Amino acid sequence: TMYCQAIENQLKICGFKRNVDVLVLYLAGQGLRSIPSLARFHRLRYLWINNNKIQDLSFLVKNHCLTELYLNNNEITDISGALKHLCVLQILLLHNNQLKHLSRTVEELKGMRSLQTLSVFHNPLAQEPGYRLFMIYFLPSVQLLDRKPVTPRERESALHIYDRERSRVVQALAFGERLGTPLTVSTARRRAARPPAALARPAGCEFGDHTNKVPFENPADAVFLRAMTRSIMEFSSVDWNKVSTCQERRLENKAEEPCEMLTVKFR
C-alpha cells in the first residue's frame, strides 16, 4: 500500500534497522487518507503527517513519547480521544483542517502541560467569538498560538472573562507593577491610605458551637483583612562603590560620610 511504501522509504533513507531506533518519521505530502497503527515505533518523538488527507487519528494511540506533531493541511474534523495521552507534546500544528468544536478540542488538549506551540487557525472553530482568549485561558502553557506570541495582556483579559472571581481577588491583592488597564478600581490600595475601619462580623460567628462560620458578610472585607495582616517584608541595599575602603580613609584623613541605605518595605 501507499502507507507501507512510504514507511519503507523512510526507514531506508534514515538507515533504521530496528523499529525501536525510529525517533523521526516524515510522511508529509504522500496523499495518505488513513494510516495503520504506529505502535511499533513506540519511541517516536517527531512525526510529520501534514499535507495529506487524514481524517482519523487513532493510529497515534500508542505513541506516548511524541514531542512534535505536524497534522496541518489534512481533513481532520475531530480530535476527541486521539491526542489526550500525549502528555509531553510541545509542538502541535493543526491548522488548515476541518475542526468544528472548540470546547471538544480544548478538552482534548488541556492535559498537555508541556504544550508551548499550537496552531489551529483556518479551522471552522477559529471563527467562534472569543476563540483566542478561550484557548489562552484553558491552555495556559501555550506560548505561541497561531504563530503569534501570547501576551500578558491577553492572559489578563482571558482571566477576567472566564474567571471573574479569581480576577477580582488577584487585583485586590496585587502589588508592584501596575496593570496596564485595571479591569476594576482597586479598593485595597484606596483603603490603605487611611486607617481601615473595623470590619464588623455578623452575629453568630464567634467560632463557638454555631453552625454559621462565615467571618465576614462581604468577602471583599475578608480579602482586605488578610492582605493587611500579612507579615511586613523589608529589603535594604547599599551602594558599596561609594563606601571608602580602610586604605582610602587613612590616605584622605578626613571624616567619613555616612553611607546611604535604601530600604523598601511591603507586605
mmCIF file of all heavy atoms in Angstrom, residues 123-148:
data_model
loop_
_atom_site.group_PDB
_atom_site.id
_atom_site.type_symbol
_atom_site.label_atom_id
_atom_site.label_comp_id
_atom_site.label_asym_id
_atom_site.label_seq_id
_atom_site.Cartn_x
_atom_site.Cartn_y
_atom_site.Cartn_z
ATOM 1 N N ASN A 123 -9.459 26.822 10.702
ATOM 2 C CA ASN A 123 -10.420 25.786 11.049
ATOM 3 C C ASN A 123 -11.737 26.490 11.354
ATOM 4 O O ASN A 123 -11.732 27.646 11.807
ATOM 5 C CB ASN A 123 -9.964 24.995 12.278
ATOM 6 C CG ASN A 123 -8.955 23.909 11.939
ATOM 7 O OD1 ASN A 123 -9.296 22.829 11.475
ATOM 8 N ND2 ASN A 123 -7.684 24.216 12.175
ATOM 9 N N PRO A 124 -12.873 25.833 11.160
ATOM 10 C CA PRO A 124 -14.150 26.490 11.482
ATOM 11 C C PRO A 124 -14.235 26.980 12.920
ATOM 12 O O PRO A 124 -14.826 28.029 13.185
ATOM 13 C CB PRO A 124 -15.179 25.378 11.205
ATOM 14 C CG PRO A 124 -14.541 24.542 10.139
ATOM 15 C CD PRO A 124 -13.077 24.542 10.467
ATOM 16 N N LEU A 125 -13.627 26.264 13.868
ATOM 17 C CA LEU A 125 -13.717 26.681 15.270
ATOM 18 C C LEU A 125 -13.013 28.009 15.535
ATOM 19 O O LEU A 125 -13.322 28.714 16.500
ATOM 20 C CB LEU A 125 -13.164 25.595 16.190
ATOM 21 C CG LEU A 125 -11.702 25.138 16.050
ATOM 22 C CD1 LEU A 125 -10.716 26.110 16.666
ATOM 23 C CD2 LEU A 125 -11.525 23.769 16.683
ATOM 24 N N ALA A 126 -12.053 28.369 14.683
ATOM 25 C CA ALA A 126 -11.328 29.627 14.868
ATOM 26 C C ALA A 126 -12.189 30.843 14.546
ATOM 27 O O ALA A 126 -11.782 31.975 14.819
ATOM 28 C CB ALA A 126 -10.072 29.642 14.004
ATOM 29 N N GLN A 127 -13.374 30.611 13.987
ATOM 30 C CA GLN A 127 -14.283 31.710 13.676
ATOM 31 C C GLN A 127 -15.221 32.031 14.833
ATOM 32 O O GLN A 127 -15.961 33.015 14.775
ATOM 33 C CB GLN A 127 -15.114 31.360 12.426
ATOM 34 C CG GLN A 127 -14.279 31.025 11.196
ATOM 35 C CD GLN A 127 -13.357 32.155 10.789
ATOM 36 O OE1 GLN A 127 -13.752 33.317 10.811
ATOM 37 N NE2 GLN A 127 -12.129 31.819 10.417
ATOM 38 N N GLU A 128 -15.198 31.225 15.870
ATOM 39 C CA GLU A 128 -16.088 31.472 17.009
ATOM 40 C C GLU A 128 -15.639 32.713 17.778
ATOM 41 O O GLU A 128 -14.437 32.957 17.930
ATOM 42 C CB GLU A 128 -16.108 30.253 17.938
ATOM 43 C CG GLU A 128 -16.707 29.011 17.306
ATOM 44 C CD GLU A 128 -16.962 27.916 18.329
ATOM 45 O OE1 GLU A 128 -17.080 28.253 19.527
ATOM 46 O OE2 GLU A 128 -17.048 26.744 17.929
ATOM 47 N N PRO A 129 -16.592 33.511 18.271
ATOM 48 C CA PRO A 129 -16.233 34.723 19.029
ATOM 49 C C PRO A 129 -15.418 34.367 20.275
ATOM 50 O O PRO A 129 -15.740 33.428 20.995
ATOM 51 C CB PRO A 129 -17.602 35.312 19.408
ATOM 52 C CG PRO A 129 -18.564 34.728 18.418
ATOM 53 C CD PRO A 129 -18.045 33.365 18.090
ATOM 54 N N GLY A 130 -14.372 35.127 20.513
ATOM 55 C CA GLY A 130 -13.551 34.902 21.695
ATOM 56 C C GLY A 130 -12.689 33.661 21.635
ATOM 57 O O GLY A 130 -12.171 33.209 22.661
ATOM 58 N N TYR A 131 -12.505 33.135 20.442
ATOM 59 C CA TYR A 131 -11.756 31.880 20.281
ATOM 60 C C TYR A 131 -10.352 31.954 20.880
ATOM 61 O O TYR A 131 -9.943 31.075 21.640
ATOM 62 C CB TYR A 131 -11.683 31.523 18.795
ATOM 63 C CG TYR A 131 -10.397 30.886 18.341
ATOM 64 C CD1 TYR A 131 -10.141 29.538 18.572
ATOM 65 C CD2 TYR A 131 -9.412 31.635 17.694
ATOM 66 C CE1 TYR A 131 -8.953 28.951 18.163
ATOM 67 C CE2 TYR A 131 -8.228 31.061 17.286
ATOM 68 C CZ TYR A 131 -8.000 29.716 17.521
ATOM 69 O OH TYR A 131 -6.817 29.151 17.126
ATOM 70 N N ARG A 132 -9.619 33.013 20.584
ATOM 71 C CA ARG A 132 -8.215 33.090 21.022
ATOM 72 C C ARG A 132 -8.105 33.178 22.548
ATOM 73 O O ARG A 132 -7.296 32.468 23.166
ATOM 74 C CB ARG A 132 -7.517 34.284 20.367
ATOM 75 C CG ARG A 132 -6.034 34.384 20.734
ATOM 76 C CD ARG A 132 -5.317 35.464 19.935
ATOM 77 N NE ARG A 132 -3.957 35.651 20.401
ATOM 78 C CZ ARG A 132 -2.911 34.947 19.975
ATOM 79 N NH1 ARG A 132 -3.089 34.013 19.058
ATOM 80 N NH2 ARG A 132 -1.699 35.166 20.450
ATOM 81 N N LEU A 133 -8.913 34.025 23.170
ATOM 82 C CA LEU A 133 -8.849 34.151 24.626
ATOM 83 C C LEU A 133 -9.308 32.871 25.314
ATOM 84 O O LEU A 133 -8.803 32.515 26.384
ATOM 85 C CB LEU A 133 -9.699 35.334 25.084
ATOM 86 C CG LEU A 133 -9.196 36.722 24.674
ATOM 87 C CD1 LEU A 133 -10.098 37.805 25.237
ATOM 88 C CD2 LEU A 133 -7.750 36.940 25.124
ATOM 89 N N PHE A 134 -10.252 32.183 24.710
ATOM 90 C CA PHE A 134 -10.707 30.903 25.256
ATOM 91 C C PHE A 134 -9.558 29.899 25.269
ATOM 92 O O PHE A 134 -9.329 29.203 26.271
ATOM 93 C CB PHE A 134 -11.868 30.373 24.414
ATOM 94 C CG PHE A 134 -12.521 29.136 24.966
ATOM 95 C CD1 PHE A 134 -13.500 29.232 25.941
ATOM 96 C CD2 PHE A 134 -12.161 27.877 24.505
ATOM 97 C CE1 PHE A 134 -14.114 28.088 26.452
ATOM 98 C CE2 PHE A 134 -12.757 26.729 25.007
ATOM 99 C CZ PHE A 134 -13.740 26.838 25.987
ATOM 100 N N MET A 135 -8.818 29.823 24.182
ATOM 101 C CA MET A 135 -7.679 28.915 24.096
ATOM 102 C C MET A 135 -6.590 29.313 25.091
ATOM 103 O O MET A 135 -5.984 28.467 25.754
ATOM 104 C CB MET A 135 -7.108 28.922 22.674
ATOM 105 C CG MET A 135 -8.068 28.488 21.586
ATOM 106 S SD MET A 135 -8.367 26.713 21.556
ATOM 107 C CE MET A 135 -6.929 26.125 20.691
ATOM 108 N N ILE A 136 -6.344 30.607 25.212
ATOM 109 C CA ILE A 136 -5.289 31.087 26.109
ATOM 110 C C ILE A 136 -5.614 30.751 27.559
ATOM 111 O O ILE A 136 -4.731 30.338 28.325
ATOM 112 C CB ILE A 136 -5.101 32.607 25.929
ATOM 113 C CG1 ILE A 136 -4.460 32.898 24.564
ATOM 114 C CG2 ILE A 136 -4.260 33.195 27.053
ATOM 115 C CD1 ILE A 136 -4.391 34.366 24.218
ATOM 116 N N TYR A 137 -6.871 30.908 27.953
ATOM 117 C CA TYR A 137 -7.232 30.656 29.347
ATOM 118 C C TYR A 137 -7.143 29.176 29.702
ATOM 119 O O TYR A 137 -6.594 28.809 30.748
ATOM 120 C CB TYR A 137 -8.646 31.171 29.628
ATOM 121 C CG TYR A 137 -9.095 30.866 31.036
ATOM 122 C CD1 TYR A 137 -8.602 31.594 32.112
ATOM 123 C CD2 TYR A 137 -9.993 29.830 31.288
ATOM 124 C CE1 TYR A 137 -8.990 31.301 33.409
ATOM 125 C CE2 TYR A 137 -10.386 29.534 32.580
ATOM 126 C CZ TYR A 137 -9.888 30.271 33.638
ATOM 127 O OH TYR A 137 -10.271 29.972 34.917
ATOM 128 N N PHE A 138 -7.669 28.317 28.852
ATOM 129 C CA PHE A 138 -7.736 26.899 29.178
ATOM 130 C C PHE A 138 -6.466 26.131 28.813
ATOM 131 O O PHE A 138 -6.314 24.976 29.218
ATOM 132 C CB PHE A 138 -8.947 26.259 28.499
ATOM 133 C CG PHE A 138 -10.254 26.645 29.131
ATOM 134 C CD1 PHE A 138 -11.057 27.610 28.550
ATOM 135 C CD2 PHE A 138 -10.658 26.068 30.322
ATOM 136 C CE1 PHE A 138 -12.259 27.983 29.140
ATOM 137 C CE2 PHE A 138 -11.852 26.434 30.922
ATOM 138 C CZ PHE A 138 -12.658 27.396 30.337
ATOM 139 N N LEU A 139 -5.565 26.760 28.071
ATOM 140 C CA LEU A 139 -4.282 26.123 27.741
ATOM 141 C C LEU A 139 -3.158 27.066 28.175
ATOM 142 O O LEU A 139 -2.471 27.667 27.344
ATOM 143 C CB LEU A 139 -4.198 25.834 26.234
ATOM 144 C CG LEU A 139 -5.324 24.973 25.651
ATOM 145 C CD1 LEU A 139 -5.193 24.877 24.135
ATOM 146 C CD2 LEU A 139 -5.330 23.584 26.271
ATOM 147 N N PRO A 140 -2.940 27.220 29.468
ATOM 148 C CA PRO A 140 -2.005 28.242 29.967
ATOM 149 C C PRO A 140 -0.545 28.000 29.607
ATOM 150 O O PRO A 140 0.257 28.930 29.665
ATOM 151 C CB PRO A 140 -2.206 28.186 31.487
ATOM 152 C CG PRO A 140 -2.736 26.811 31.751
ATOM 153 C CD PRO A 140 -3.578 26.467 30.564
ATOM 154 N N SER A 141 -0.174 26.786 29.244
ATOM 155 C CA SER A 141 1.234 26.521 28.918
ATOM 156 C C SER A 141 1.613 27.014 27.525
ATOM 157 O O SER A 141 2.801 27.168 27.221
ATOM 158 C CB SER A 141 1.523 25.017 29.014
ATOM 159 O OG SER A 141 0.781 24.293 28.043
ATOM 160 N N VAL A 142 0.626 27.279 26.675
ATOM 161 C CA VAL A 142 0.904 27.684 25.292
ATOM 162 C C VAL A 142 1.510 29.089 25.262
ATOM 163 O O VAL A 142 0.948 30.033 25.821
ATOM 164 C CB VAL A 142 -0.383 27.639 24.443
ATOM 165 C CG1 VAL A 142 -0.130 28.206 23.052
ATOM 166 C CG2 VAL A 142 -0.889 26.203 24.334
ATOM 167 N N GLN A 143 2.660 29.208 24.625
ATOM 168 C CA GLN A 143 3.351 30.486 24.495
ATOM 169 C C GLN A 143 3.181 31.100 23.102
ATOM 170 O O GLN A 143 3.243 32.316 22.945
ATOM 171 C CB GLN A 143 4.852 30.298 24.776
ATOM 172 C CG GLN A 143 5.162 29.658 26.111
ATOM 173 C CD GLN A 143 4.741 30.517 27.280
ATOM 174 O OE1 GLN A 143 4.879 31.743 27.228
ATOM 175 N NE2 GLN A 143 4.232 29.899 28.331
ATOM 176 N N LEU A 144 2.996 30.241 22.106
ATOM 177 C CA LEU A 144 2.844 30.700 20.724
ATOM 178 C C LEU A 144 1.571 30.084 20.160
ATOM 179 O O LEU A 144 1.496 28.873 19.959
ATOM 180 C CB LEU A 144 4.058 30.288 19.888
ATOM 181 C CG LEU A 144 4.135 30.846 18.461
ATOM 182 C CD1 LEU A 144 4.350 32.360 18.486
ATOM 183 C CD2 LEU A 144 5.264 30.177 17.683
ATOM 184 N N LEU A 145 0.561 30.917 19.926
ATOM 185 C CA LEU A 145 -0.728 30.444 19.434
ATOM 186 C C LEU A 145 -0.997 31.039 18.062
ATOM 187 O O LEU A 145 -1.008 32.264 17.900
ATOM 188 C CB LEU A 145 -1.843 30.838 20.408
ATOM 189 C CG LEU A 145 -3.272 30.476 19.997
ATOM 190 C CD1 LEU A 145 -3.425 28.971 19.821
ATOM 191 C CD2 LEU A 145 -4.277 30.998 21.019
ATOM 192 N N ASP A 146 -1.196 30.170 17.091
ATOM 193 C CA ASP A 146 -1.462 30.612 15.715
ATOM 194 C C ASP A 146 -0.391 31.580 15.217
ATOM 195 O O ASP A 146 -0.688 32.646 14.667
ATOM 196 C CB ASP A 146 -2.848 31.251 15.619
ATOM 197 C CG ASP A 146 -3.958 30.236 15.845
ATOM 198 O OD1 ASP A 146 -3.688 29.032 15.718
ATOM 199 O OD2 ASP A 146 -5.092 30.649 16.159
ATOM 200 N N ARG A 147 0.863 31.216 15.491
ATOM 201 C CA ARG A 147 2.037 31.969 15.024
ATOM 202 C C ARG A 147 2.189 33.333 15.684
ATOM 203 O O ARG A 147 3.002 34.151 15.246
ATOM 204 C CB ARG A 147 1.996 32.138 13.497
ATOM 205 C CG ARG A 147 1.998 30.822 12.729
ATOM 206 C CD ARG A 147 1.921 31.056 11.228
ATOM 207 N NE ARG A 147 1.950 29.790 10.501
ATOM 208 C CZ ARG A 147 1.815 29.691 9.178
ATOM 209 N NH1 ARG A 147 1.638 30.787 8.453
ATOM 210 N NH2 ARG A 147 1.855 28.514 8.586
ATOM 211 N N LYS A 148 1.419 33.604 16.734
ATOM 212 C CA LYS A 148 1.528 34.875 17.445
ATOM 213 C C LYS A 148 1.819 34.604 18.923
ATOM 214 O O LYS A 148 1.150 33.777 19.537
ATOM 215 C CB LYS A 148 0.235 35.688 17.324
ATOM 216 C CG LYS A 148 -0.101 36.110 15.903
ATOM 217 C CD LYS A 148 -1.403 36.901 15.877
ATOM 218 C CE LYS A 148 -1.769 37.322 14.459
ATOM 219 N NZ LYS A 148 -3.053 38.074 14.426
#
